[in-house]
Structures are given as structure tokens and as C-alpha cells.
Amino acid sequence: MTMVGRESERAAVLGVTSGVLIVTGEPGAGKSTLLALAADQHRGRGRVLRMTGSESEANLPFAGLHQLLRPILDDTARLPAHQRAALLGAIGAEAPDGGSTGGGGAGVGTGADERGATGGGGAGPATNGPGATDPHATDPLPDSDRAGTSPPDRLLLGVALLALLSDLAQRSPLLVLVDDLPWIDAGSLEALAFAARRIDGEPLAVLAGARDTAGAPVPSAFSGFPTLTLGPLDASAAARLLDRQPYPPTGSRRMRILDQAAGNPLALVELARAYDPQAPDPTAEDLLPPTDRLMRLYAADLDALPADTRHALLLVAADERAVADRIEALAPAEAAGLLRITGGGDSARARFRHPLIRSAIYHSVPLAARRRAHRELAASLTGEPDRRAWHLAAAAEGPDEEIAAALEESAGRARERGGYTAAVTALERAAELSPAPLSRARRLVAAAREAVATGQPHWVRELAARARALTDDPALVAEASLRVGQVLTLSAEHDTALTLLTRAADDPRLRRTAIVLASVAGFYSGDEEHRLSVRARAQGDPWTLTVTDPTQARSERVAALPALVERADGDPALLNSLGAMAWLLDETALAVRIFDDALDRWRLRGALPTGLGCTAGWAYLDHGLWAQARLAATSTAPSVAGLPHLEAAVRSLEAAPLALTGRTAEARTAASAALSLVDPHRSRAVAVRARWALGMAAVAEGDQSTAYEQFRLLFTADGDPVHYACSHAGIAELAAAAVRTGHHAEAAAIVERTERRLADPSPRMRALIHRAHALLDPARAEARFASALADPAGRQWPFERAQILLDHAEWLRRAHRITDARPLLHTALETFRRLGAHPWTERAQAELRAAGVDAVPTAPDALTSLTPQQQHIIRLAAKGLSNRQIGERLFLSPRTVGSHLYRSFPKLGVTARSQLRDVLEASGQS
């Protein structure tokens, strides 16, 4: 197989032996040919698996995964039972040994419970604060309105697929080919993308082909991967390609083909074949339209085929799996090169030479004939209700309640298997077929409810608007507002979200859910009016009261936490809500334990949410687990594309540990990106966190003027916090920068104002206030420093405590109490080294030298020399987890885990896993 004018592209594709490459280009550019070349080359040294998109299966959950896994079902026996069940359940397959997988496989459900932290008002995964990313996390509908089986988790499914592919790749190099990427169903795309993002030097490659037309872009799940775009052939290559055809065109015919094909290889070939070389040259009026005429060209030879072949072609054009019992009838079409039959038995399917051929065949007959074909297919699919429902819908000539109901049932099954996009599409089509306006509106609202999970605000808005235009039913109108408000909570439109959620709260059935979501939107917004409005409707709910003011009656909320954790009874959704609540209350150590417990339990039951969000990341950061904070940011990033607030939240979290470890340029880039994604006056939680990171980057560089500017922006001109909860964490840094820049009086006023505002401050805030006073009032500093360090609870925040020790030691040295300063400096230095806070490590060493200690520059703690992922793996291995168990938690293959351990052991100076606990204890991170 050869290609003309694609030499460099061919080399790039054939050179991929590990990782991912997406080949894009217009229809006919040569994507499928390149993939076929790669398959031919790879077969001599390894295994090839395929997944091919199809319009007829784009709405069937995990249809693509079914294609991929069917040849390797026996290999799933090597997986852990819950991973195997997830894979086989997703594709509706039975275990090769005949045992049923049971249940509905793996899907998108995040499992957050509407009861919340109190059994009545929780919230799901959060960003710069608490929040729900799962559309059903706070779903007010009764359980009777839901299907009985819980949806499988897409992360578990991704882990299982990664483990399976990695295991196969260890035995022989593996190539996964994905053609027509945009037509792969969403569930399969997410699972494959999840696995593809975690290929780490293994002999495992994923090659995908995708059209770059406006109607079918590369799906968001595959965004960010390396891409090779096939542009038009240049004039020389196009001419060479024409010359290779059986009857190379000449004269004006040649010029017109070259002109109108515009370098598209398939168009060049097909247009050259379309003309009889004996026919006269076309006249000027015979110009070929570049789209419609080319599509019709693919059906030009249909009339020469037998009638039963044309009929079979129409059926497989309508459904590429409709091959059984039609292979003989399709033989002439296969001989003509229109399609190829692959597989056998139930897995047989038609693979058209190009998708435009399928489209041309389908549209070559009148609408009535197409409807008859769909009815014929539906009649043959009595055992496959989902496919049957879609064919009945395609055959419908008008509203039909029976078909609409069948589609609605199909949507329920899709949701159970994690196919939210398929569920929305089915419900939307069901609404179109609903005879009664009220039923149409109800199904559109249901579609909007499912569409929240897709993270597409425009889609949710459109569905809700169509529903509201059909009915004035108060319940449906209220839920439509709720769903739009819910998805806008994840965007940057917090004001609109709050308006809609407040409106939805007027419905008693939705009140609790709406107020919970409104409290989250209000937190993200940080607007004082919004905060007070939501708080007034809390009706004693501890979650809402905490979110709207973490310092009011804080001690009471903290005292209630153990009972709330006990009442959660191990429910990971409720535990996640309680982790966010504990973080807001500055019970950081407890928050970390709760988040860890929630994560473990979620994985055990196979219902991990899209991501625990940035709240967990900020808790890890505050607790000195900076590597885990960075991992929280990087693992959340792929799922938030297109949602500005969430993207900004991830970037702000990413910036913080970069600043603290001295990677200041990267920190500024990330924090500036966060601020550019949102309006800082409307998304105050993100803006304050981003500015805090910019301020810490400036401190790390010794730029105190910039540091003061950034920390001053955490407070209004009057000295009030820009964000009622997030601004306070910068109060001590504001004071430290003020002392060095001559803004002493201004900072002192803000500190006093903040202290008065905190009715029931946490030990953390008391320590920060004491530190600020000590810096601003050196005459009374000793008592303030002593108070800042007196509470043992301060050990929950190791970096902040080490800063206090360093400041106190500097004050002591200036007071000529060098002997007293030295032990504080040694303790601070040890903490900074352990954390990897390089700028503060250097500062502490300089102070030691000034205190008369010959402080030899010390190498960073060995653990901090590892990547964040390697640090996390080391901690889990030290707990006794196997490579496979670690892989399940971090979504890595066991082989990748082993590779990280192999590279980490020499850096840590160990030779066995049993020594890792000692390394952690020595680093203070056990």
C-alpha cells in the first residue's frame, strides 16, 4: 500500500510505538489509509485492536468498547473481579466462562448523595470550595423515578481498560486503531481517552483518525493529545496521484479535477474514475460542486448492482451491524470496493470504504424507502430494545407515544451504563415524538437533568428553554431552572445560577437541593448579598450554614462533625461533603482523612466521581501534602475543559504548590491563566486563590512590593475580605510584605478589622493573626509569637507553622538572643526541606549562618526530588499496597507503577519496599 505526497505523515504515523497520535483531516484526506498502513506494519510484531465509529451506533452506550473488547474477552480473566465486571458489564457481555457479570457495568455516576452532610443537603465534588459536579449528586427526584441499578463508574472502567491493555502490551506490542473518532459513543471515548492519557513508556500505541470538519471535530475527551493534520496535497503530488489512476485524465478534464478536488486525495481518485476516458471533455457548465456532487458520486454505481444488493446496502447504511444473513447479498458491493465485511457471527459489521459512501447510499433513496428500511430493521431486533427503539424513531412519520416511551426506557438503560450523552439524545428524540406537549416538556426536562453530566451549559439551557416554551407546569418549570442553575454553577455565570436556583427553591420538592446548590454558587461568587440571601434560607442546615460563613458558630459545627461522619455510615458521597465542610472549618487534618476515606470507599464500590475537585487539593496543600495537591489539579484538568470557572480553579490550585516550591515562572503562568478565564469580581473564590499564589511566588523571589500588591488585592479598599472565607488565609502574608514595603499602618488596620470580623476563629486563623500582629508590632512580638505557636493544633499546617518559627527566630536574632533562635531555625529548616519549599529553605539557611551556625547547603529531602506522582506511589507502597492496588487508586497500570518504583528507589537510597516506611518517617511524612 503506497501513498502519494504523504511521506512525512507516513513516517510520523509508522513511528508511533507508544503513546497517542490523532490523525485529522477532511473526508478523503487519507486518514484511514494511514491507519491501515500502521496496522499492516504492526501485525508482524504485535497485536492490533480496532474501534470504528458509526453514526448508527453513536448513541449506543459502549458500542465502540464492545468492538474493541470482543476479540480479547478471554484476556479479561486476568483482571481483578471488579475491574472485569466493569468492562464486561459495560458492553453487556457474559464472562467467557459463562458466568454473568451482573449489573450495568461502568459509567459516569459520581454517587454524590442529595442528603449532603446532614442527610438532607450535601454537595458533591468541589473546586475552590464545595460543590457538586455530578448532576444527580443533589437530585431531588424520589428513588422510584430512577432505575434500580446504580450506574457504573467511568473511572473504574478506565482503570480496568488501562490494566487490560497494559497487560496485553506486556506480552506483545499492542496497537489500538480508532477510526472515525467523532462517531464513537461518548462512554467508549471517555474510557479509551482515560487509558490513553496514562500510557507511560509501554509498547502500547493508540492511533486515531478524526475528521476536522465543523460538524465532527475531535471530541473533547481526546483534546490535548498530539495531532497530525493531513492538509491538501500540493499541486505536484496531486498531479502524480492522478497519473497513477487506471485512466489518467487529460486536457481540460484534468485541470477541472485538479481545481475542484483542491488536493483531496479521495476526491482526486473518485473524480478521475467517474469520467469515461472516451467521453468528450466537460463543458464549462459541468463544474462539479465540491460537496453534494461528490457525495452523489459515491452512489453512482449503485444502479449496476443487483436489487437485493442495493437493498442490503441500504440496510447496512442505516445500521452497520445489520450484516447477519446479508453477507451473500452484499458480496457484489464488497467486490466493487464500496465496503468490507469484518468479523463474523454477531460481531460482523460493514465497514464502508469511506463514511461518505455510507451517507451517499443512505440518501440515494427517497425518505419513504429509508423509513421502510428502518421498520424492517426494527422488526428484526426484538431482542435488542435499544437499537430497535432508535430504528422505530427513524421510521416514525409523526408523533408516536409508544416509540417515545421505548426511547425513554432506552435512555434509562443508557444512564445505568454511564451513557449520559446517549441518554440525553434518546430523551430529546423521545420528546420530539411525544404527542402531548406536557409529555414533551417532561422528557426535555429529563434530558436537561442528564445533560448536566456532560458539562455542556449550552445544551442544558437549550433543552430547558424548549421545555419552558411548552408548558407552564410549575414543577417542570422549577426543575428546568434548577438544572440550568446547576450546570451554570460549574461555569463562571454564578449570578445567573443563583437567580435560577433561588427561583427553583420556591418549589417545596426542590427547595433543599436548590439551596444547597445556591450555597455553592454563592461561595464561588463570594458576593456578600448572595451569601446573606442564601444563608437566610438555610433553615438550620449545617452544610449551608458552614458554606455561607465558616467562622460563625464554628466550634458548634466542628463539634458536630464526628456525629455527621458516623451518620454518613461510610457513604463516600456524604463523606466527600463532610471533607469539604471540615476543610472550610479549618479542620484540615480531619478533612484530609475524610477525603482519603471517601476516595478509598468510592473505589471499592466502583462509583468514583469525575474528580474529588480542588477542595481536596487545597486540603492537601494546607496539610503539607503538596505532591497530592498537584495530582488533584492534574487529574481534574481533563474533565473541566470548556467550563471556565472549573478550569480557573484547577489552574489556581496548580499555581500554589509551584509557587511554594520556587517554580515561580510556572506559578505565575498558571495563576495568570486562572485570572484570565474568569471575571475576578464575579468569581472571587478563584481570583483570591490565584492572587494568593501570585503573592507567594513574589515572596519566593524576594519581590516584596509585588507580594504586597497581590496580598492587598485579597481585601477591599475598606479592608474587608474580597471573599468572605478565602481572603483570610493571606492576612499574615499581607503583614509580612507590609513591614518590608512601608505599608505598616494600612496592613495593621486590615489585621484589626479581620480579627474583629472572625467571631469564632479557628486555631489556624488565631495563629495567622498572632503572626501578623507580631510582625507589625515588634515591641510585643514575643508574646504574639508564643501564642501563635502554643496550640498543638497548628501542626496541621506545617508550612505556616514553619514560617512562624522562622519569623520568631529572626526576631530573636535581631534581639541578640542567638542561642534561643537556633533551635527554632533548625526546626523550620527541617520542615521547609521536607516540604520542598526551596526559597524558604534558603532563607532559613541564611538565618542560621547569621546566627553563627556554619550551615552547609543541604540537598533537598530525597522524597521531594521525586515527581508528585512518584511521591504518591511511594506513600501507598509504604502502606503495603501492591502495584496493582496502587494502579487502581491512581489509574495507572501495574507495570507503570513498577516502573516508577524502580526509578525512585535509587533516589531514595533503598532497595526494598520494606524500607519505604523509614524514608517517610525520616521525612516527617509517615
Side-chain angles (χ1 to χ4, degrees), residues 271-333:
L271 288 171
R273 291 176 179 174
Y275 288 101
D276 183 348
Q278 304 302 319
D281 284 350
T283 64
E285 289 77 26
D286 290 328
L287 295 174
L288 297 172
T291 303
D292 295 342
R293 192 71 180 272
L294 186 58
M295 289 181 64
R296 289 196 295 272
L297 178 64
Y298 292 126
D301 296 330
L302 288 180
D303 290 342
L305 297 172
D308 62 338
T309 298
R310 295 198 302 273
H311 182 64
L313 274 174
L314 176 60
L315 293 175
V316 295
D319 187 337
E320 290 167 312
R321 291 174 60 185
V323 174
D325 301 326
R326 298 184 179 95
I327 294 178
E328 293 299 324
L330 291 168

Side-chain angles (χ1 to χ4, degrees), residues 314-651:
L314 176 60
L315 293 175
V316 295
D319 187 337
E320 290 167 312
R321 291 174 60 185
V323 174
D325 301 326
R326 298 184 179 95
I327 294 178
E328 293 299 324
L330 291 168
E334 191 169 18
L338 294 176
L339 51 72
R340 201 155 50 88
I341 307 299
T342 62
D346 293 339
S347 63
R349 56 187 288 124
R351 299 184 61 194
F352 289 93
R353 189 175 76 240
H354 191 280
L356 288 176
I357 296 176
R358 174 183 179 273
S359 180
I361 292 169
Y362 183 75
H363 290 286
S364 68
V365 301
L367 176 60
R370 299 199 295 271
R371 285 175 172 166
R372 285 195 298 271
H374 284 293
R375 281 194 289 271
E376 180 180 340
L377 289 167
S380 67
L381 293 170
T382 54
E384 297 187 53
D386 293 333
R387 289 173 66 196
R388 181 175 183 273
W390 278 106
H391 284 300
L392 287 173
E397 299 182 14
D400 188 311
E401 177 58 30
E402 184 178 351
I403 298 175
L407 276 176
E408 188 170 12
E409 292 176 2
S410 177
R413 288 187 290 270
R415 180 187 179 275
E416 290 170 15
R417 297 172 64 182
Y420 284 103
T421 300
V424 178
T425 306
L427 285 165
E428 191 172 11
R429 179 62 175 141
E432 293 170 358
L433 293 172
S434 301
L438 186 62
S439 296
R440 195 174 308 136
R442 178 182 61 79
R443 285 165 175 149
L444 285 170
V445 170
R449 181 175 65 237
E450 306 297 341
V452 174
T454 69
Q456 299 184 52
H458 295 302
W459 199 4
V460 178
R461 273 177 155 161
E462 177 194 350
L463 292 165
R466 288 164 58 190
R468 286 194 293 262
L470 289 168
T471 182
D472 56 2
D473 178 85
L476 289 177
V477 170
E479 188 177 353
S481 293
L482 178 90
R483 297 310 170 189
V484 176
Q486 185 176 7
V487 76
L488 292 184
T489 298
L490 309 181
S491 73
E493 299 181 57
H494 306 309
D495 292 353
T496 305
L498 281 158
T499 299
L500 292 170
L501 292 168
T502 302
R503 184 185 306 162
D506 291 336
D507 185 325
R509 190 184 66 142
L510 302 177
R511 191 205 64 79
R512 177 167 285 170
T513 298
I515 293 302
V516 164
L517 292 171
S519 70
V520 174
F523 183 94
Y524 294 157
S525 165
D527 182 84
E528 188 69 4
E529 182 179 342
H530 293 156
R531 181 182 76 85
L532 294 175
S533 174
V534 174
R535 187 173 178 81
R537 306 182 71 169
Q539 295 187 354
D541 176 60
W543 162 264
T544 303
L545 292 172
T546 298
V547 173
T548 52
D549 189 349
T551 67
Q552 183 68 35
R554 175 191 171 274
S555 299
E556 178 184 338
R557 309 272 177 260
V558 170
L561 272 171
L564 293 174
V565 171
E566 181 71 22
R567 192 186 307 170
D569 195 27
D571 184 321
L574 295 179
L575 288 174
N576 187 58
S577 295
L578 292 169
M581 184 175 172
W583 173 73
L584 286 169
L585 294 170
D586 272 338
E587 291 295 304
T588 307
L590 176 60
V592 167
R593 290 197 299 272
I594 293 174
F595 279 130
D596 285 345
D597 188 24
L599 181 62
D600 290 343
R601 291 178 183 275
W602 243 314
R603 297 205 200 293
L604 288 173
R605 83 174 196 179
L608 189 71
T610 301
L612 282 180
C614 293
T615 304
W618 285 109
Y620 291 139
L621 184 90
D622 293 344
H623 203 44
L625 301 173
W626 294 353
Q628 286 181 251
R630 289 178 59 195
L631 280 176
T634 56
S635 63
T636 305
S639 64
V640 300
L643 294 170
H645 170 75
L646 296 189
E647 287 188 68
V650 168
R651 297 310 300 272

